[in-house]
Amino acid sequence: MEALLCSVAADIISTVEFNSTGELLATGDKGGRVVVFQREQESKNQPHRRGEYNVYSTFQSHEPEFDYLKSLEIEEKINKIRWLPQQNAAYFLLSTNDKTVKLWKISERDKRPEGYNLKDEDGRIRDPTTITALRVPVLRPMDLMVEATPRRVFSNAHTYHINSISVNSDYETFMSTDDLRINLWNLEITNRSFNIVDIKPVNMEELTEVITAAEFHPHQCNTFVYSSSKGSIRLCDMRASALCDNHSKFFEEPEDPSNRSFFSEIISSISDVKFSHSGRYLMTRDYLTVKVWDLNMESKPLETYQVHDYLRSKLCSLYENDCIFDKFECVWNGSDSVIMTGSYNNFFRMFDRNTKRDVTLEASRENSKPRAILKPRKVCVGGKCRKDEISVDSLDFSKKILHTAWHPYENIIAVAATNNLYIFQDKVN
């Protein structure tokens, strides 16, 4: 029974990411595996319907390790995956666990060289005395093989757990972020990184906040943001100084004293920060809300969306079962007009920024038959529930959607519900 439980836990999806064209979709899981899905090409007989996503490549990215100096086990769980823009026929992605970032190359092989001089066809070295003629090796067609090979390993730069990685728009550098530091790497250099943010106090007892997420600006390679467990966001400019300890802009919403409670600090911690594709806005997710910030207005968010306000009365039990520490992510659609984030009971929420309409949808086996249309769900608080509503008391907090991704151009979304991946697309497609 225990082995069964372990294998199920290893299958829990821990990150989801489309590549820049949306043709590939990668997931990472708790067992250190990366699964890449590829979109089928348009078929001749159904030109309007773009294909499904099918498994393209599966590989073990990280293995469990042991830090002998600290007597700590290092989990193999994949925390984040980021694709690099495609430059040639191969694909490249970065994947990270708590300590080590790896650069993987995913390439196709459909030809095999034959007719070696010094080796026979099985790869064994031939006896030099038997080689009497010079042969020209030839390439013969073979079944298509997709190979994933580790190209670089960026390690030994983080004392604390890596919570995010982000590829810069110069496509030469990326950053990796842990609780107290942000490091800048060159994609070609693995043996050294450059520390650009360090919030570690001299005396650790004075520590008041940790870094929770960080991301580069989509167009300006000198600008990045990082969020904190205190609910603030700092925008930094690498041109200002080598160590970005002083931010250029500071975004924080002043707390409403009437809402103050024991849980205020915990639920204000930001679990995800994302630049809009345009680079004009920032989106942040805390425990109960999603906020959209204008980079030109630091004093308060432009928009605030309640994700599951009905949980405000349940914070005590959510604290007891540790759910209050869940880290939900948030994503923009391709045109920055709709935002999506997850909730409990396998619900996920979408907010239309133009019409101010919002919807709750459910990712579950029951309603995920191909071509089925998702029905909006409603949660009722107290009193009698309507037939199509679900009571807040019967929500399943073990079913949570923490990781979602949106196709860069089309209305196709990927939703990770524990160990199941759901891909939905709008019916116009």
Side-chain angles (χ1 to χ4, degrees):
M1 184 66 192
E2 193 164 354
L4 182 78
L5 283 171
C6 291
S7 69
V8 171
D11 289 341
I12 292 173
I13 297 171
S14 51
T15 183
V16 189
E17 188 79 9
F18 279 101
N19 75 338
S20 57
T21 61
E23 291 303 300
L24 298 180
L25 170 69
T27 65
D29 67 20
K30 273 198 166 172
R33 282 183 304 273
V34 172
V35 181
V36 179
F37 299 86
Q38 185 183 43
R39 200 173 179 192
E40 275 181 13
Q41 296 307 308
E42 274 183 36
S43 58
K44 293 274 195 306
N45 47 6
Q46 286 179 308
H48 301 301
R49 218 190 93 206
R50 279 301 309 271
E52 315 283 322
Y53 282 85
N54 294 319
V55 175
Y56 177 62
S57 173
T58 304
F59 57 94
Q60 188 72 29
S61 173
H62 287 68
E63 303 281 355
E65 292 173 67
F66 193 78
D67 185 336
Y68 294 101
L69 289 173
K70 295 191 181 144
S71 295
L72 281 177
E73 285 186 38
I74 302 168
E75 279 190 353
E76 65 272 40
K77 174 188 162 215
I78 308 290
N79 292 342
K80 283 282 184 290
I81 289 173
R82 289 289 177 264
W83 290 92
L84 272 62
Q86 196 179 354
Q87 312 280 357
N88 52 29
Y91 303 99
F92 289 88
L93 62 83
L94 290 168
S95 64
T96 185
N97 68 347
D98 284 342
K99 296 285 182 206
T100 306
V101 185
K102 293 184 180 182
L103 175 68
W104 289 88
K105 176 185 181 183
I106 301 167
S107 52
E108 294 183 356
R109 259 203 11 218
D110 58 357
K111 291 185 177 63
R112 166 175 84 225
E114 284 181 5
Y116 288 106
N117 287 293
L118 304 176
K119 294 189 288 190
D120 60 23
E121 299 311 329
D122 300 330
R124 286 191 297 266
I125 300 290
R126 287 166 63 188
D127 178 3
T129 56
T130 64
I131 302 171
T132 54
L134 192 63
R135 296 194 291 174
V136 179
V138 288
L139 287 170
R140 298 242 184 271
M142 58 178 254
D143 290 342
L144 178 68
M145 237 174 76
V146 181
E147 294 178 317
T149 45
R151 294 307 297 266
R152 298 199 173 75
V153 177
F154 305 90
S155 56
N156 304 326
H158 286 277
T159 314
Y160 308 98
H161 294 341
I162 298 174
N163 56 43
S164 49
I165 48 176
S166 179
V167 180
N168 202 347
S169 57
D170 61 9
Y171 306 144
E172 287 180 13
T173 54
F174 74 93
M175 65 180 172
S176 56
T177 307
D178 66 27
D179 295 343
L180 299 179
R181 295 195 179 103
I182 301 177
N183 291 331
L184 182 70
W185 301 83
N186 187 303
L187 282 161
E188 302 292 328
I189 301 167
T190 59
N191 59 357
R192 64 180 184 274
S193 62
F194 192 73
N195 180 225
I196 52 174
V197 172
D198 186 350
I199 65 163
K200 185 180 178 181
V202 180
N203 179 4
M204 280 296 268
E205 285 173 7
E206 293 167 8
L207 183 69
T208 57
E209 62 181 335
V210 294
I211 302 170
T212 54
E215 191 178 60
F216 271 118
H217 189 283
H219 315 304
Q220 299 165 7
C221 61
N222 52 282
T223 311
F224 67 94
V225 291
Y226 67 92
S227 59
S228 89
S229 56
K230 273 193 159 174
S232 58
I233 309 112
R234 289 171 176 84
L235 181 86
C236 300
D237 186 341
M238 290 190 286
R239 295 172 303 187
S241 69
L243 191 63
C244 300
D245 279 2
N246 296 322
H247 48 267
S248 322
K249 292 191 174 184
F250 182 78
F251 303 86
E252 188 175 46
E253 186 168 30
E255 195 191 9
D256 180 359
S258 63
N259 276 344
R260 179 114 191 106
S261 76
F262 169 75
F263 305 108
S264 294
E265 205 158 292
I266 303 172
I267 62 172
S268 67
S269 174
I270 292 173
S271 54
D272 197 15
V273 60
K274 292 264 171 58
F275 273 105
S276 62
H277 295 82
S278 67
R280 169 77 190 267
Y281 303 104
L282 272 175
M283 168 168 53
T284 59
R285 170 74 209 258
D286 56 41
Y287 191 66
L288 293 176
T289 65
V290 172
K291 292 173 180 154
V292 175
W293 303 77
D294 188 321
L295 285 193
N296 301 329
M297 185 169 77
E298 296 166 65
S299 55
K300 62 176 198 289
L302 199 61
E303 301 151 22
T304 301
Y305 300 98
Q306 300 296 336
V307 178
H308 36 216
D309 205 42
Y310 45 77
L311 296 183
R312 217 175 266 279
S313 60
K314 293 251 177 290
L315 292 177
C316 203
S317 55
L318 289 163
Y319 178 75
E320 283 164 9
N321 64 14
D322 277 353
C323 284
I324 201 166
F325 301 107
D326 284 334
K327 293 177 168 53
F328 291 95
E329 293 170 10
C330 51
V331 287
W332 300 88
N333 73 338
S335 61
D336 299 334
S337 60
V338 182
I339 53 187
M340 171 172 65
T341 191
S343 179
Y344 294 102
N345 208 66
N346 279 357
F347 288 170
F348 58 98
R349 305 269 285 133
M350 286 187 179
F351 304 95
D352 188 312
R353 296 180 58 212
N354 300 326
T355 64
K356 299 297 179 229
R357 297 207 335 247
D358 65 283
V359 65
T360 303
L361 299 169
E362 182 183 6
S364 71
R365 289 267 172 107
E366 291 73 61
N367 60 15
S368 66
K369 295 179 181 69
R371 310 277 158 255
I373 292 175
L374 290 182
K375 292 187 180 68
R377 301 298 308 263
K378 280 204 167 56
V379 178
C380 73
V381 184
K384 275 195 141 181
C385 290
R386 288 209 202 100
K387 189 173 68 134
D388 57 341
E389 294 181 334
I390 180 167
S391 162
V392 69
D393 297 316
S394 50
L395 293 174
D396 186 343
F397 291 105
S398 66
K399 293 179 175 173
K400 51 192 98 169
I401 290 177
L402 303 176
H403 315 286
T404 55
W406 203 307
H407 189 289
Y409 310 114
E410 297 179 39
N411 279 337
I412 297 174
I413 57 169
V415 175
T418 333
N419 52 359
N420 296 311
L421 179 71
Y422 296 91
I423 296 174
F424 301 110
Q425 58 180 0
D426 68 2
K427 57 178 187 287
V428 184
N429 274 359

